[in-house]
Short mmCIF file of all heavy atoms in Angstrom, two decimals:
data_model
loop_
_atom_site.label_atom_id
_atom_site.label_comp_id
_atom_site.label_asym_id
_atom_site.label_seq_id
_atom_site.Cartn_x
_atom_site.Cartn_y
_atom_site.Cartn_z
N MET G 1 6.35 -19.50 6.18
CA MET G 1 5.55 -18.39 5.71
C MET G 1 4.68 -17.78 6.82
O MET G 1 4.37 -16.60 6.88
CB MET G 1 4.62 -18.85 4.61
CG MET G 1 4.00 -17.83 3.93
SD MET G 1 5.05 -16.72 3.02
CE MET G 1 4.12 -16.15 1.67
N SER G 2 4.18 -18.62 7.82
CA SER G 2 3.30 -18.05 8.87
C SER G 2 4.19 -17.09 9.66
O SER G 2 3.65 -16.20 10.31
CB SER G 2 2.85 -19.22 9.74
OG SER G 2 3.92 -19.91 10.42
N GLY G 3 5.52 -17.18 9.79
CA GLY G 3 6.30 -16.23 10.64
C GLY G 3 6.23 -14.92 9.92
O GLY G 3 6.09 -13.94 10.62
N LEU G 4 6.24 -14.85 8.62
CA LEU G 4 6.16 -13.42 7.97
C LEU G 4 4.79 -12.91 8.23
O LEU G 4 4.60 -11.76 8.52
CB LEU G 4 6.42 -13.82 6.39
CG LEU G 4 6.24 -12.47 5.57
CD1 LEU G 4 7.15 -11.37 5.91
CD2 LEU G 4 6.24 -12.94 4.16
N LEU G 5 3.64 -13.78 8.11
CA LEU G 5 2.29 -13.20 8.29
C LEU G 5 2.24 -12.69 9.74
O LEU G 5 1.53 -11.63 9.99
CB LEU G 5 1.29 -14.22 8.07
CG LEU G 5 1.16 -14.72 6.57
CD1 LEU G 5 0.15 -15.71 6.40
CD2 LEU G 5 0.84 -13.43 5.71
N ARG G 6 2.88 -13.35 10.78
CA ARG G 6 2.82 -13.04 12.15
C ARG G 6 3.51 -11.61 12.31
O ARG G 6 2.91 -10.74 12.91
CB ARG G 6 3.46 -13.99 12.93
CG ARG G 6 3.43 -13.61 14.56
CD ARG G 6 4.17 -14.78 15.34
NE ARG G 6 5.41 -15.14 14.90
CZ ARG G 6 6.49 -14.46 14.97
NH1 ARG G 6 6.60 -13.44 15.66
NH2 ARG G 6 7.69 -15.00 14.55
N LYS G 7 4.66 -11.45 11.66
CA LYS G 7 5.36 -10.14 11.65
C LYS G 7 4.53 -9.03 11.08
O LYS G 7 4.43 -7.93 11.64
CB LYS G 7 6.75 -10.30 10.95
CG LYS G 7 7.64 -11.16 11.85
CD LYS G 7 9.06 -11.10 11.10
CE LYS G 7 10.03 -11.95 12.01
NZ LYS G 7 11.31 -12.05 11.34
N ILE G 8 3.91 -9.35 9.98
CA ILE G 8 3.12 -8.18 9.32
C ILE G 8 1.82 -7.89 10.31
O ILE G 8 1.50 -6.68 10.41
CB ILE G 8 2.55 -8.74 7.94
CG1 ILE G 8 3.61 -8.90 6.95
CG2 ILE G 8 1.42 -7.88 7.47
CD1 ILE G 8 3.30 -9.63 5.69
N LYS G 9 1.22 -8.83 10.92
CA LYS G 9 0.18 -8.76 11.83
C LYS G 9 0.62 -7.93 12.99
O LYS G 9 -0.02 -6.82 13.40
CB LYS G 9 -0.34 -10.05 12.23
CG LYS G 9 -1.63 -9.98 13.02
CD LYS G 9 -2.06 -11.37 13.24
CE LYS G 9 -3.41 -11.49 14.12
NZ LYS G 9 -3.80 -12.87 14.22
N GLU G 10 1.84 -8.16 13.57
CA GLU G 10 2.40 -7.36 14.72
C GLU G 10 2.64 -6.00 14.33
O GLU G 10 2.24 -5.04 14.99
CB GLU G 10 3.50 -8.16 15.15
CG GLU G 10 3.39 -9.40 15.98
CD GLU G 10 4.65 -10.13 16.33
OE1 GLU G 10 5.68 -9.55 16.07
OE2 GLU G 10 4.45 -11.17 16.78
N PHE G 11 3.19 -5.78 13.18
CA PHE G 11 3.51 -4.42 12.66
C PHE G 11 2.24 -3.65 12.47
O PHE G 11 2.20 -2.41 12.88
CB PHE G 11 4.23 -4.46 11.28
CG PHE G 11 4.52 -3.11 10.73
CD1 PHE G 11 5.51 -2.23 11.25
CD2 PHE G 11 3.84 -2.66 9.61
CE1 PHE G 11 5.76 -1.02 10.68
CE2 PHE G 11 4.05 -1.34 9.02
CZ PHE G 11 5.02 -0.63 9.68
N SER G 12 1.23 -4.19 11.90
CA SER G 12 -0.01 -3.45 11.65
C SER G 12 -0.74 -3.05 12.96
O SER G 12 -1.45 -2.04 12.95
CB SER G 12 -0.99 -4.39 10.89
OG SER G 12 -1.59 -5.45 11.55
N ARG G 13 -0.51 -3.76 14.05
CA ARG G 13 -1.01 -3.39 15.33
C ARG G 13 -0.18 -2.39 16.03
O ARG G 13 -0.65 -1.75 17.05
CB ARG G 13 -1.16 -4.70 16.18
CG ARG G 13 -2.29 -5.49 15.62
CD ARG G 13 -2.44 -6.75 16.51
NE ARG G 13 -3.59 -7.51 15.97
CZ ARG G 13 -3.81 -8.72 16.30
NH1 ARG G 13 -3.10 -9.36 17.25
NH2 ARG G 13 -4.88 -9.34 15.69
N SER G 14 1.08 -2.12 15.66
CA SER G 14 2.06 -1.16 16.27
C SER G 14 1.66 0.30 15.99
O SER G 14 0.85 0.52 14.85
CB SER G 14 3.41 -1.47 15.97
OG SER G 14 3.59 -1.06 14.58
N PRO G 15 2.06 1.20 16.70
CA PRO G 15 1.70 2.60 16.31
C PRO G 15 2.37 3.16 15.06
O PRO G 15 1.66 3.70 14.22
CB PRO G 15 2.44 3.48 17.56
CG PRO G 15 2.48 2.45 18.72
CD PRO G 15 2.66 1.05 18.10
N GLN G 16 3.48 2.57 14.72
CA GLN G 16 4.03 2.91 13.38
C GLN G 16 3.30 2.21 12.32
O GLN G 16 3.06 2.83 11.31
CB GLN G 16 5.49 2.40 13.39
CG GLN G 16 6.16 2.84 12.08
CD GLN G 16 7.52 2.38 11.90
OE1 GLN G 16 8.07 1.62 12.76
NE2 GLN G 16 8.24 2.71 10.93
N GLY G 17 2.82 1.15 12.53
CA GLY G 17 1.98 0.36 11.57
C GLY G 17 0.63 1.09 11.33
O GLY G 17 0.13 1.26 10.12
N GLN G 18 0.07 1.55 12.46
CA GLN G 18 -1.19 2.32 12.38
C GLN G 18 -1.05 3.60 11.54
O GLN G 18 -1.88 3.99 10.70
CB GLN G 18 -1.74 2.71 13.69
CG GLN G 18 -2.22 1.47 14.55
CD GLN G 18 -3.47 0.70 13.75
OE1 GLN G 18 -4.30 1.40 13.43
NE2 GLN G 18 -3.40 -0.54 13.63
N ARG G 19 0.11 4.33 11.75
CA ARG G 19 0.40 5.58 10.93
C ARG G 19 0.55 5.15 9.52
O ARG G 19 0.10 5.90 8.66
CB ARG G 19 1.67 6.16 11.59
CG ARG G 19 1.57 6.87 12.86
CD ARG G 19 2.63 7.86 13.18
NE ARG G 19 4.02 6.96 13.38
CZ ARG G 19 4.20 6.54 14.47
NH1 ARG G 19 3.44 6.73 15.55
NH2 ARG G 19 5.39 5.77 14.58
N THR G 20 1.23 4.05 9.30
CA THR G 20 1.41 3.59 7.87
C THR G 20 0.07 3.33 7.13
O THR G 20 -0.11 3.76 6.06
CB THR G 20 2.33 2.47 7.79
OG1 THR G 20 3.64 2.92 8.50
CG2 THR G 20 2.72 2.03 6.35
N ILE G 21 -0.76 2.65 7.79
CA ILE G 21 -2.06 2.33 7.36
C ILE G 21 -2.86 3.49 7.07
O ILE G 21 -3.51 3.64 6.03
CB ILE G 21 -2.76 1.32 8.29
CG1 ILE G 21 -2.12 -0.04 8.31
CG2 ILE G 21 -4.24 1.18 7.87
CD1 ILE G 21 -2.41 -0.96 9.32
N ALA G 22 -2.83 4.46 7.97
CA ALA G 22 -3.64 5.71 7.81
C ALA G 22 -3.14 6.48 6.51
O ALA G 22 -3.90 7.01 5.79
CB ALA G 22 -3.57 6.61 9.10
N SER G 23 -1.78 6.54 6.48
CA SER G 23 -1.12 7.28 5.29
C SER G 23 -1.63 6.53 3.96
O SER G 23 -1.93 7.22 3.04
CB SER G 23 0.35 7.20 5.55
OG SER G 23 0.98 7.76 4.34
N ALA G 24 -1.61 5.24 4.06
CA ALA G 24 -1.97 4.55 2.84
C ALA G 24 -3.42 4.73 2.40
O ALA G 24 -3.70 4.83 1.25
CB ALA G 24 -1.77 3.01 2.97
N ARG G 25 -4.29 4.81 3.41
CA ARG G 25 -5.74 5.07 3.12
C ARG G 25 -5.95 6.38 2.62
O ARG G 25 -6.75 6.67 1.70
CB ARG G 25 -6.56 4.89 4.46
CG ARG G 25 -6.73 3.40 4.87
CD ARG G 25 -7.67 3.32 6.00
NE ARG G 25 -7.83 1.79 6.29
CZ ARG G 25 -7.86 1.36 7.51
NH1 ARG G 25 -7.74 2.01 8.62
NH2 ARG G 25 -8.09 0.03 7.70
N ARG G 26 -5.15 7.42 3.20
CA ARG G 26 -5.32 8.87 2.60
C ARG G 26 -4.75 8.84 1.17
O ARG G 26 -5.56 9.61 0.33
CB ARG G 26 -4.40 9.85 3.56
CG ARG G 26 -5.15 10.24 4.76
CD ARG G 26 -4.42 11.43 5.40
NE ARG G 26 -3.12 11.19 5.63
CZ ARG G 26 -2.56 10.52 6.75
NH1 ARG G 26 -3.31 10.10 7.57
NH2 ARG G 26 -1.25 10.39 6.93
N ALA G 27 -3.67 8.18 0.84
CA ALA G 27 -3.20 8.15 -0.48
C ALA G 27 -4.23 7.48 -1.46
O ALA G 27 -4.37 7.93 -2.62
CB ALA G 27 -1.82 7.51 -0.57
N ALA G 28 -4.77 6.45 -0.92
CA ALA G 28 -5.82 5.64 -1.78
C ALA G 28 -7.05 6.45 -2.14
O ALA G 28 -7.63 6.24 -3.13
CB ALA G 28 -6.17 4.36 -1.13
N ALA G 29 -7.34 7.34 -1.14
CA ALA G 29 -8.62 8.24 -1.38
C ALA G 29 -8.29 9.36 -2.35
O ALA G 29 -9.23 9.93 -2.87
CB ALA G 29 -8.98 8.76 -0.09
N ASP G 30 -7.06 9.73 -2.57
CA ASP G 30 -6.73 10.81 -3.60
C ASP G 30 -6.77 10.38 -4.98
O ASP G 30 -5.96 9.43 -5.40
CB ASP G 30 -5.25 11.31 -3.27
CG ASP G 30 -4.76 12.53 -4.01
OD1 ASP G 30 -5.66 13.06 -4.83
OD2 ASP G 30 -3.65 12.97 -3.93
N PRO G 31 -7.64 11.05 -5.78
CA PRO G 31 -7.83 10.46 -7.17
C PRO G 31 -6.46 10.64 -8.00
O PRO G 31 -6.20 9.79 -8.86
CB PRO G 31 -8.83 11.46 -7.85
CG PRO G 31 -9.56 12.00 -6.58
CD PRO G 31 -8.51 11.95 -5.51
N ARG G 32 -5.64 11.76 -7.72
CA ARG G 32 -4.38 11.74 -8.53
C ARG G 32 -3.44 10.59 -8.17
O ARG G 32 -2.75 10.06 -9.00
CB ARG G 32 -3.67 13.09 -8.24
CG ARG G 32 -4.34 14.23 -8.88
CD ARG G 32 -3.67 15.54 -8.48
NE ARG G 32 -4.04 15.75 -7.07
CZ ARG G 32 -3.50 16.62 -6.36
NH1 ARG G 32 -2.62 17.56 -6.76
NH2 ARG G 32 -3.67 16.69 -5.02
N LYS G 33 -3.36 10.25 -6.96
CA LYS G 33 -2.57 9.16 -6.50
C LYS G 33 -3.04 7.79 -7.13
O LYS G 33 -2.29 6.96 -7.50
CB LYS G 33 -2.45 8.99 -5.09
CG LYS G 33 -1.66 10.09 -4.36
CD LYS G 33 -0.30 9.97 -4.55
CE LYS G 33 0.49 11.04 -3.75
NZ LYS G 33 1.84 11.04 -4.10
N ARG G 34 -4.37 7.58 -7.10
CA ARG G 34 -4.91 6.43 -7.79
C ARG G 34 -4.45 6.30 -9.29
O ARG G 34 -4.19 5.11 -9.65
CB ARG G 34 -6.46 6.46 -7.56
CG ARG G 34 -6.86 6.29 -6.12
CD ARG G 34 -8.40 6.30 -6.04
NE ARG G 34 -8.90 5.15 -6.59
CZ ARG G 34 -9.77 4.32 -6.04
NH1 ARG G 34 -10.21 4.74 -4.77
NH2 ARG G 34 -10.29 3.34 -6.49
N GLU G 35 -4.53 7.38 -9.80
CA GLU G 35 -4.17 7.34 -11.33
C GLU G 35 -2.73 7.15 -11.45
O GLU G 35 -2.27 6.29 -12.40
CB GLU G 35 -4.51 8.70 -12.01
CG GLU G 35 -4.06 8.81 -13.40
CD GLU G 35 -4.95 7.93 -14.36
OE1 GLU G 35 -5.91 7.37 -14.00
OE2 GLU G 35 -4.42 7.66 -15.48
N GLN G 36 -1.82 7.56 -10.63
CA GLN G 36 -0.38 7.32 -10.73
C GLN G 36 -0.07 5.88 -10.44
O GLN G 36 0.64 5.30 -11.12
CB GLN G 36 0.37 8.14 -9.65
CG GLN G 36 0.55 9.56 -9.92
CD GLN G 36 1.15 10.44 -8.75
OE1 GLN G 36 1.40 9.87 -7.69
NE2 GLN G 36 1.50 11.67 -9.13
N VAL G 37 -0.87 5.22 -9.53
CA VAL G 37 -0.67 3.74 -9.22
C VAL G 37 -1.19 3.00 -10.36
O VAL G 37 -0.58 1.97 -10.82
CB VAL G 37 -1.43 3.39 -7.89
CG1 VAL G 37 -1.46 1.95 -7.78
CG2 VAL G 37 -0.75 3.98 -6.81
N ARG G 38 -2.31 3.42 -10.92
CA ARG G 38 -2.87 2.63 -12.21
C ARG G 38 -1.79 2.68 -13.31
O ARG G 38 -1.56 1.56 -13.91
CB ARG G 38 -4.17 3.26 -12.54
CG ARG G 38 -4.89 2.38 -13.58
CD ARG G 38 -6.16 3.09 -14.12
NE ARG G 38 -5.73 4.33 -14.92
CZ ARG G 38 -5.31 4.25 -16.18
NH1 ARG G 38 -5.11 3.03 -16.79
NH2 ARG G 38 -4.97 5.41 -16.83
N VAL G 39 -1.26 3.81 -13.59
CA VAL G 39 -0.24 3.96 -14.62
C VAL G 39 0.94 3.14 -14.32
O VAL G 39 1.58 2.33 -15.19
CB VAL G 39 0.20 5.40 -14.85
CG1 VAL G 39 1.29 5.49 -15.81
CG2 VAL G 39 -1.01 6.20 -15.42
N LEU G 40 1.47 3.19 -13.01
CA LEU G 40 2.61 2.43 -12.68
C LEU G 40 2.42 0.94 -12.81
O LEU G 40 3.25 0.18 -13.43
CB LEU G 40 2.99 2.76 -11.15
CG LEU G 40 4.17 1.89 -10.62
CD1 LEU G 40 5.34 2.24 -11.33
CD2 LEU G 40 4.31 2.19 -9.23
N PHE G 41 1.24 0.44 -12.43
CA PHE G 41 1.04 -1.05 -12.50
C PHE G 41 0.77 -1.34 -13.97
O PHE G 41 1.20 -2.51 -14.35
CB PHE G 41 -0.18 -1.45 -11.70
CG PHE G 41 0.03 -1.68 -10.22
CD1 PHE G 41 -0.62 -0.93 -9.26
CD2 PHE G 41 0.98 -2.56 -9.81
CE1 PHE G 41 -0.43 -1.19 -7.86
CE2 PHE G 41 1.21 -2.83 -8.61
CZ PHE G 41 0.68 -1.98 -7.54
N GLY G 42 0.25 -0.58 -14.77
CA GLY G 42 0.05 -0.74 -16.13
C GLY G 42 1.54 -1.00 -16.86
O GLY G 42 1.68 -1.86 -17.66
N ARG G 43 2.43 -0.10 -16.50
CA ARG G 43 3.75 -0.19 -16.99
C ARG G 43 4.41 -1.49 -16.51
O ARG G 43 5.15 -2.19 -17.24
CB ARG G 43 4.64 0.99 -16.55
CG ARG G 43 4.23 2.24 -17.31
CD ARG G 43 5.07 3.44 -16.82
NE ARG G 43 4.72 4.61 -17.45
CZ ARG G 43 4.98 5.95 -16.98
NH1 ARG G 43 5.69 5.97 -16.09
NH2 ARG G 43 4.61 6.90 -17.67
N LEU G 44 4.27 -1.84 -15.33
CA LEU G 44 4.86 -3.01 -14.73
C LEU G 44 4.35 -4.36 -15.46
O LEU G 44 5.05 -5.18 -15.48
CB LEU G 44 4.66 -3.16 -13.27
CG LEU G 44 5.30 -2.12 -12.41
CD1 LEU G 44 4.95 -2.30 -10.88
CD2 LEU G 44 6.85 -2.35 -12.44
N ARG G 45 3.08 -4.19 -15.85
CA ARG G 45 2.60 -5.45 -16.54
C ARG G 45 2.90 -5.38 -18.06
O ARG G 45 2.55 -6.45 -18.70
CB ARG G 45 1.02 -5.40 -16.42
CG ARG G 45 0.47 -5.63 -15.05
CD ARG G 45 -1.03 -5.49 -15.03
NE ARG G 45 -1.63 -5.57 -13.71
CZ ARG G 45 -2.51 -4.96 -13.28
NH1 ARG G 45 -3.22 -4.16 -14.03
NH2 ARG G 45 -2.92 -5.00 -11.97
N GLY G 46 3.54 -4.35 -18.51
CA GLY G 46 3.89 -4.36 -19.90
C GLY G 46 2.94 -3.72 -20.77
O GLY G 46 3.16 -3.57 -21.91
N ARG G 47 1.86 -3.14 -20.19
CA ARG G 47 0.93 -2.38 -20.95
C ARG G 47 1.27 -0.97 -20.86
O ARG G 47 1.74 -0.38 -19.88
CB ARG G 47 -0.47 -2.59 -20.37
CG ARG G 47 -0.89 -3.99 -20.46
CD ARG G 47 -2.23 -4.17 -19.71
NE ARG G 47 -2.48 -5.58 -19.58
CZ ARG G 47 -3.38 -5.96 -18.75
NH1 ARG G 47 -4.11 -5.10 -17.99
NH2 ARG G 47 -3.57 -7.27 -18.40
N ARG G 48 0.93 -0.18 -21.87
CA ARG G 48 1.20 1.33 -21.86
C ARG G 48 -0.07 2.09 -22.03
O ARG G 48 -1.05 1.81 -22.58
CB ARG G 48 2.17 1.58 -23.02
CG ARG G 48 3.48 0.98 -22.60
CD ARG G 48 4.56 1.97 -22.40
NE ARG G 48 5.77 1.37 -21.94
CZ ARG G 48 6.76 2.03 -21.65
NH1 ARG G 48 6.81 3.35 -21.62
NH2 ARG G 48 7.86 1.29 -21.05
#
């Protein structure tokens, strides 16, 4: 399992990882996206 965490850590420090993190932060700040994620997780949990 530590190998997986190491790979995630390396990716997060790479330029592509930094772009991905910035994109995720922008999406998390958007109220419409937050609502979409909330609905999606509700469906995955079996709640509607």
Side-chain angles (χ1 to χ4, degrees):
M1 190 63 149
S2 64
L4 177 63
L5 292 176
R6 181 179 47 79
K7 287 182 182 183
I8 292 171
K9 190 175 181 181
E10 288 173 4
F11 176 75
S12 70
R13 292 181 177 169
S14 72
Q16 183 181 5
Q18 290 297 314
R19 285 191 297 271
T20 303
I21 291 168
S23 174
R25 284 186 177 141
R26 280 193 303 275
D30 183 3
R32 287 177 293 172
K33 291 287 185 188
R34 290 178 74 126
E35 180 63 17
Q36 287 175 349
V37 169
R38 189 187 67 75
V39 169
L40 175 64
F41 280 123
R43 288 181 183 162
L44 290 174
R45 290 182 187 137
R47 301 178 195 157
R48 297 237 172 189

